């Protein structure tokens, strides 16, 4: 059976936060963009559901914030932690320099439905559900599109640029043979749900005790709970049995009480195998990777979505004009990597430090006390606000660049390039004239 061929300017693989945001930003500039999503909808349980202040700022710049905040969500203004019997506020979002001074907790499928519904209003946007990317289309050394499967038939999407947004297990980056630098991670996370009462804590709460750590994220009538465990220990936890698992949870957070009995079998528990890695090079000719496809993040701080969306904004800012001119070079793609690799490295370094602290907590199976160093550090004025900024805004936040700014900068670059070219030609001419004059003078002296 012959392949169906789709022609587009930019093919985005993966309809997650990075893919949908980039698709929206490019389509609003009139660029033909096709997004491939392998599932039939966006409904996935235990995906990252945090929309950070910097992402909310992007929505404000796009004029979408007011409508977005009408969707059901919870607003988190601070993050707390309980170590042993001591409680601390470790992150305060109420002073971040953004319009929204909170993290919005919203199911990711609602966020993606919101973005896709607005993107579909642009005639240049196309979303193809149930299209699973399987390979790349190549023209010599250039990536020229994507091979996908839809209901058993092959679809080829030919594009000037392919952007891989298909996550940490990216098919596209594997097909492109891009090399990955892995960082060892000592933890995994078990996600599950436990019902929530009205008088339970409302903010994001970490609980550390008895060699374990449990994160509780309020979702109105239930907690999205994440038990942080030692790497590759899930099988031994299952071997101990569900009763022991429930006892562990009750031991860490006694006020949960008999609600642990809501967990009846392991089907209710989903494991996230935590990875931290990044590509040594994010691009090839005709291909760019962003989001988790370029750098898998730990769930620590819930910043993975935030970085993915910041990648998308930076990519749109830097690639809109080349895509409009249908001339995207490797230099353009390298500019996106240069812009985003620094915040990625800094964030991953901080996450690895946090992981080492968690690993040390696993070494003590008994009751623990908060270290005095932590108590002293959290008493320093402004520390909570600084940590709130680090989580809520992050390193090098991106902003939607207005079109007139891009045109002005491009015009300025062209003027500078023209000036340098003229200066270069002038310098060569000056050297030639001086050389000729000196030769004539020396000739007369000799004569």
């Amino acid at each position: 059976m012959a392949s169906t061929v789709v022609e587009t300017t930019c093919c985005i693989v993966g309809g997650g936060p990075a893919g949908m945001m980039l698709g929206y930003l490019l389509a609003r500039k009139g660029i033909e963009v096709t997004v491939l999503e392998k599932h039939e909808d966006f409904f996935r349980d235990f995906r990252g559901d945090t929309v950070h202040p910097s992402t909310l700022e992007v929505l404000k710049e796009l004029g979408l914030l007011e409508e977005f905040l009408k969707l059901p969500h919870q607003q988190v203004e601070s993050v707390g932690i309980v170590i042993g019997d001591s409680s601390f506020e470790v992150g305060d979002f109420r002073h971040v320099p953004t319009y929204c001074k909170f993290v919005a907790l919203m199911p990711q499928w609602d966020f993606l439905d919101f973005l896709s519904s607005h993107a579909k209003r642009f005639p240049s946007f196309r979303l193809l559900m149930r299209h699973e990317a399987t390979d790349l289309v190549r023209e010599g050394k250039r990536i020229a599109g994507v091979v996908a499967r839809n209901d058993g038939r092959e679809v080829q999407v030919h594009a000037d640029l392919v952007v891989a947004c298909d996550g940490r297990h990216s098919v596209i980056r594997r097909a492109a043979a891009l090399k990955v630098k892995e960082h060892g991670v000592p933890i995994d996370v078990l996600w599950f749900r436990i019902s929530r009462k009205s008088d339970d804590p409302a903010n994001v709460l970490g609980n550390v005790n008895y060699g374990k750590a449990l994160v509780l994220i309020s979702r109105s009538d239930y907690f999205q709970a994440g038990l942080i465990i030692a790497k590759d220990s899930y099988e031994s936890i299952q071997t101990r049995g569900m009763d022991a698992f429930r006892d562990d949870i009750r031991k860490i957070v006694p006020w949960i009480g008999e609600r642990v009995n809501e967990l009846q079998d392991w089907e209710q528990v989903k494991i996230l195998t935590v990875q931290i890695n990044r590509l040594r090079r994010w691009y090839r000719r005709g291909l760019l990777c962003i989001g988790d496809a370029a750098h898998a993040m730990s769930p620590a701080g819930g910043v993975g979505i935030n970085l993915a969306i910041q990648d998308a904004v930076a990519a749109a800012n830097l690639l809109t004009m080349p895509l409009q001119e249908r001339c995207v070079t490797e230099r353009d793609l390298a500019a996106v990597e240069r812009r985003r690799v620094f915040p990625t490295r800094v964030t991953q370094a901080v996450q690895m430090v946090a992981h080492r602290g968690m690993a040390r907590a696993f070494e003590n199976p008994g009751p623990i006390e908060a270290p005095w160093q932590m108590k002293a550090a959290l008493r320093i004025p402004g520390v909570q606000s600084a940590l709130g900024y680090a989580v809520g805004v992050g390193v090098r936040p991106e902003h939607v660049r207005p079109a007139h700014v891009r045109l002005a900068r491009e015009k300025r670059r062209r003027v500078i390039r023209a000036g340098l070219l003229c200066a270069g030609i002038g310098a060569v001419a000056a050297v030639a004239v001086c050389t000729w004059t000196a030769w004539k003078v020396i000739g007369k002296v000799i004569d």
Side-chain angles (χ1 to χ4, degrees):
M1 185 180 297
S3 299
T4 300
V5 177
V6 176
E7 300 287 342
T8 191
T9 301
C10 180
C11 178
I12 298 172
V13 180
M20 292 309 306
M21 179 59 76
L22 180 59
Y24 176 89
L25 292 170
L26 295 180
R28 72 192 283 265
K29 294 300 181 183
I31 296 168
E32 292 285 342
V33 56
T34 300
V35 179
L36 306 181
E37 168 55 45
K38 67 179 180 180
H39 298 101
E40 63 181 356
D41 55 42
F42 296 121
F43 188 85
R44 303 293 167 274
D45 209 353
F46 302 118
R47 296 178 77 162
D49 296 338
T50 53
V51 184
H52 290 238
S54 57
T55 299
L56 296 172
E57 193 76 3
V58 169
L59 294 175
K60 181 177 182 295
E61 292 166 354
L62 293 171
L64 301 175
L65 179 63
E66 185 176 350
E67 185 179 349
F68 177 76
L69 292 178
K70 291 179 181 177
L71 298 174
H73 68 282
Q74 293 81 47
Q75 296 182 5
V76 175
E77 295 181 339
S78 63
V79 177
I81 189 170
V82 178
I83 300 179
D85 296 327
S86 302
S87 299
F88 306 93
E89 184 183 79
V90 295
D92 184 357
F93 305 120
R94 288 166 289 200
H95 303 287
V96 295
T98 56
Y99 182 80
C100 294
K101 301 181 186 302
F102 56 83
V103 170
L105 296 179
M106 178 184 293
Q108 192 174 114
W109 53 85
D110 286 345
F111 177 56
L112 297 177
D113 278 334
F114 177 83
L115 277 180
S116 63
S117 66
H118 282 78
K120 288 174 184 176
R121 299 176 185 179
F122 301 117
S124 59
F125 179 85
R126 176 166 40 190
L127 174 61
L128 301 179
M129 306 298 286
R130 298 202 312 273
H131 280 67
E132 182 175 4
T134 58
D135 204 350
L136 292 166
V137 177
R138 297 170 175 83
E139 290 180 357
K141 294 183 178 181
R142 176 181 173 272
I143 304 302
V146 176
V147 180
R149 303 292 295 179
N150 171 244
D151 296 333
R153 60 189 179 87
E154 183 176 278
V155 179
Q156 288 195 14
V157 183
H158 295 176
D160 295 350
L161 175 66
V162 174
V163 183
C165 304
D166 52 340
R168 63 185 59 205
H169 304 297
S170 172
V171 171
I172 297 302
R173 79 178 187 187
R174 185 168 63 248
L178 293 171
K179 295 181 179 180
V180 181
K181 181 179 181 180
E182 294 282 354
H183 297 280
V185 178
I187 65 166
D188 288 325
V189 181
L190 302 181
W191 290 109
F192 50 92
R193 291 186 181 189
I194 290 181
S195 62
R196 180 181 176 274
K197 297 179 179 179
S198 59
D199 57 347
D200 286 337
N203 62 337
V204 177
L205 192 66
N207 303 268
V208 182
N209 212 347
Y210 298 101
K212 296 178 178 63
L214 179 69
V215 178
L216 296 174
I217 303 173
S218 172
R219 302 308 305 271
S220 186
D221 58 347
Y222 71 90
F223 283 113
Q224 182 173 321
L227 182 66
I228 301 171
I229 63 174
K231 194 74 173 176
D232 300 325
S233 65
Y234 185 38
E235 190 173 328
S236 63
I237 291 172
Q238 289 179 303
T239 301
R240 291 177 60 220
M242 181 58 72
D243 286 340
F245 182 67
R246 289 192 290 257
D247 288 342
D248 286 343
I249 297 169
R250 190 187 292 113
K251 197 173 184 181
I252 304 167
V253 188
W255 52 265
I256 286 289
E258 297 306 310
R259 281 178 277 176
V260 294
N261 294 324
E262 296 166 9
L263 297 171
Q264 292 294 315
D265 59 64
W266 296 110
E267 290 297 317
Q268 296 171 264
V269 181
K270 309 297 181 183
I271 182 169
L272 171 64
T273 302
V274 178
Q275 296 176 310
I276 292 183
N277 62 45
R278 64 176 177 271
L279 293 178
R280 296 184 182 277
R281 186 184 185 194
W282 295 19
Y283 63 93
R284 283 184 55 184
R285 188 180 173 195
L287 169 68
L288 173 68
C289 296
I290 63 173
D292 277 5
H295 47 73
M297 311 299 293
S298 159
V303 297
I305 298 171
N306 190 49
L307 257 73
I309 291 174
Q310 300 298 305
D311 286 356
V313 175
N317 286 341
L318 293 166
L319 299 178
T320 291
M321 187 169 291
L323 284 167
Q324 288 172 334
E325 296 175 352
R326 306 293 298 268
C327 184
V328 181
T329 66
E330 286 189 83
R331 185 176 181 178
D332 296 321
L333 304 179
V336 179
E337 178 182 339
R338 283 197 307 273
R339 176 75 187 173
R340 297 304 305 160
V341 73
F342 175 72
T344 298
R345 286 176 173 172
V346 172
T347 305
Q348 289 184 333
V350 172
Q351 288 186 331
M352 287 186 284
V353 171
H355 288 167
R356 285 195 287 271
M358 292 177 191
R360 284 195 293 271
F362 295 149
E363 297 171 359
N364 180 12
I368 65 173
E369 292 185 4
W372 67 266
Q373 296 94 331
M374 180 178 180
K375 294 179 180 179
L378 291 176
R379 290 195 184 100
I380 299 173
V383 167
Q384 287 85 353
S385 295
L387 291 173
Y389 181 92
V391 173
V393 178
V395 181
R396 189 178 284 168
E398 303 290 345
H399 298 278
V400 179
R401 190 183 298 169
H404 68 274
V405 173
R406 282 197 300 273
L407 291 173
R409 290 185 178 180
E410 183 61 23
K411 184 177 179 179
R412 188 163 60 248
R413 289 193 196 100
R414 288 174 179 173
V415 169
I416 291 172
R417 284 198 293 267
L420 290 174
L421 179 61
C422 291
I425 293 172
V428 171
V431 170
V433 169
C434 290
T435 302
W436 181 83
T437 302
W439 178 72
K440 284 291 187 182
V441 170
I442 291 170
K444 287 188 176 292
V445 171
I446 294 173
D447 291 342

